[in-house]
Amino acid sequence: MRVVVDMENCHGHARCASLLPELFDSDDLGYAIVKDEGRVPLALEERVRIVVQSCPERAIRTEEN
Ligand code: SF4
């Protein structure tokens, strides 16, 4: 699984980075930065699904490899 952020829709409140810092960082304005080119370790897949649901802008999606 890979995680992708649509930066057109990201509004930069850094919720993803606070919920899952293993995979997301945020820039100085709070906009999402995806770590490790979005590769999701198996152990984090369930938490990624929660983050996808938690993004208020629906800016995060997953793709299967
Ligand atoms: S939670 Fe969504 S809108 Fe907010 S910073 Fe993360 S990707 Fe962007």
Side-chain angles (χ1 to χ4, degrees), residues 5-7 9-17 24 26 30-32 51 54-60:
V5 173
D6 177 359
M7 295 309 295
N9 290 328
C10 176
H11 285 201
H13 27 64
R15 183 180 294 188
C16 49
F24 295 93
S26 54
Y31 288 89
V51 172
S54 301
C55 173
E57 316 303 334
R58 295 281 182 257
I60 308 172

Side-chain angles (χ1 to χ4, degrees), residues 22-43:
E22 295 94 328
L23 280 184
F24 295 93
D25 204 347
S26 54
D27 68 13
D28 291 344
L29 298 175
Y31 288 89
I33 297 170
V34 179
K35 296 181 178 178
D36 197 23
E37 298 176 3
R39 281 187 284 271
V40 179
L42 251 170

Side-chain angles (χ1 to χ4, degrees), residues 1-3 38-41 44-45 48-49 62-65:
M1 178 191 282
R2 287 170 54 90
V3 69
R39 281 187 284 271
V40 179
L44 294 180
E45 287 192 358
V48 165
R49 292 190 179 94
T62 58
E63 296 177 347
E64 296 305 321
N65 289 327

